[in-house]
Amino acid sequence: MVLDLFMAITFVLLMNPRVFNGLPFHEMAGLVIAVAILIHIGLNYRWVVNTTKKIFALELPRKTRFSFLLNILLLISMTTVIVSGILISRVVFPNLAIEGNHFVRGIHDLSANMTLALVGLHIGVHWQWIMSTCKKAFKSKEGKWRKGVIASAVLSLAVLAGGMYWISLNVKPSEGDFKPKFAEQNAPSFDEETTGTMPTPPDGEIRDGKFRKERGSNNPLLALLTYFVIWAAVIIPTYYLEKRMLKNKRAKEASV
C-alpha cells in the first residue's frame, strides 16, 4: 500500500512537468517510478505467474482475467512512457535524445494520458481490496480505531503536503546544473555573436540557454488535486459498475 501510494503521487506529479524544478525533477522522478514499477511487479510475482498459467482456464474468475489484461495494458503503456521519455531526454540521457522528436514526444504524451486513465481504472477495479486493507490497517480485530496509526497517517500527509508546498516556493529551476548537450552545442560562436544570428533549439525546448518556460501552475498540491479529481471521475463509475455486476451475478445464482 505504501509503495502504491508513492507511485500514485509520483506519477501524478510527473503529469505536470512544471512542478518543483521542472525538467530535472521530471526526468529523474520518471526513473524512480520505473524502479518502483519493477519492485511492484516483484512483490506480486507469484500472482503474475499463477494467473499467467491459468489465464485460459474456465474456472478463472472474470474479474481476475480482466485485472490481468488491464495490468498487461498498464505495463505496455508505462513502458512506452519510460522508453519515449528516454528518447526525448534533455537532462539524464541527452546523448540518447532523438533530433526532431515531435513524433516521439506525441507518443510520450499520448501514452502518459492512456496510463493515467488505465491507473484510474486499475484503482477502481481494486477499490474494495484497497478499502479492506485500509480498514485492517486503521482498525483492530475488535473493531476499535487505531488512533496511533491514524495520527501517524495524518501527520505523514501533513508533512508531505507542507514539504511539497515549501519546495514549490523555495526550490528554483536548476537548468544550469543540468545543461543539455545540445544547449552546449548550440552555444553562440564568435561569428554568431557578430552577425546576431542564433541557431534554433530543437523542438523549442531551450531558449537563451535555458529551459523553456511553459504556461501554467507549478504548484505540486494543485497538480495532485487536479489529477486525483480526474482519477475520481474514473474510479467512482468503475466501482459502482463492478458492484452492480456483482449484485446481478449473486441474484442470478440465487434464482438458480
Side-chain angles (χ1 to χ4, degrees):
M1 287 294 295
V2 173
L3 178 64
D4 291 345
L5 181 60
F6 166 79
M7 290 174 62
I9 294 175
T10 304
F11 180 76
V12 166
L13 293 177
L14 286 173
M15 291 299 296
N16 186 343
R18 295 179 292 271
V19 298
F20 298 140
N21 61 345
L23 202 56
F25 170 81
H26 183 78
E27 293 193 13
M28 288 187 289
L31 294 180
V32 171
I33 202 172
V35 175
I37 291 172
L38 294 177
I39 297 175
H40 178 81
I41 295 175
L43 292 175
N44 295 276
Y45 176 75
R46 291 184 178 180
W47 181 89
V48 173
V49 173
N50 293 333
T51 307
T52 302
K53 293 179 179 179
K54 301 177 181 179
I55 192 62
F56 296 109
L58 296 177
E59 64 271 15
L60 187 69
R62 292 182 179 180
K63 181 178 179 179
T64 303
R65 184 178 288 106
F66 176 77
S67 178
F68 180 81
L69 296 176
L70 180 60
N71 287 331
I72 294 296
L73 291 176
L74 259 174
L75 180 62
I76 294 174
S77 64
M78 191 64 81
T79 301
T80 303
V81 173
I82 295 171
V83 173
S84 60
I86 292 175
L87 294 179
I88 60 175
S89 173
R90 297 296 184 240
V91 174
V92 181
F93 301 107
N95 294 328
L96 299 179
I98 300 176
E99 295 183 5
N101 50 39
H102 296 287
F103 177 72
V104 180
R105 181 173 298 281
I107 293 177
H108 184 72
D109 294 339
L110 178 61
S111 56
N113 291 328
M114 289 182 61
T115 302
L116 181 72
L118 290 173
V119 169
L121 188 60
H122 179 80
I123 296 175
V125 170
H126 294 86
W127 188 253
Q128 291 183 346
W129 176 84
I130 294 173
M131 290 295 97
S132 176
T133 303
C134 290
K135 186 177 180 180
K136 292 178 181 179
F138 293 110
K139 276 190 174 183
S140 63
K141 294 181 179 179
E142 294 77 17
K144 296 182 180 180
W145 290 100
R146 297 177 178 176
K147 297 180 180 180
V149 177
I150 296 176
S152 300
V154 172
L155 180 60
S156 299
L157 290 175
V159 171
L160 177 63
M164 287 191 298
Y165 181 73
W166 182 87
I167 292 175
S168 67
L169 294 178
N170 295 278
V171 176
K172 302 300 180 182
S174 55
E175 295 90 348
D177 296 331
F178 299 94
K179 193 172 183 181
K181 180 181 179 181
F182 60 79
E184 299 175 355
Q185 294 174 343
N186 290 332
S189 62
F190 176 79
D191 293 336
E192 291 165 350
E193 292 178 351
T194 56
T195 58
T197 60
M198 290 286 291
T200 302
D203 295 333
E205 284 295 329
I206 290 186
R207 295 173 183 172
D208 299 328
K210 296 183 178 180
F211 287 105
R212 180 182 60 188
K213 301 297 182 182
E214 300 184 45
R215 296 179 180 180
S217 174
N218 63 347
N219 191 318
L221 298 180
L222 183 60
L224 288 174
L225 177 62
T226 300
Y227 288 102
F228 277 135
V229 168
I230 295 175
W231 266 343
V234 178
I235 294 171
I236 294 174
T238 302
Y239 168 73
Y240 281 104
L241 178 61
E242 182 196 5
K243 189 176 181 180
R244 182 166 184 175
M245 292 175 63
L246 182 61
K247 184 178 180 180
N248 292 339
K249 181 181 178 181
R250 289 176 177 174
K252 186 178 179 179
E253 291 176 350
S255 62
V256 173

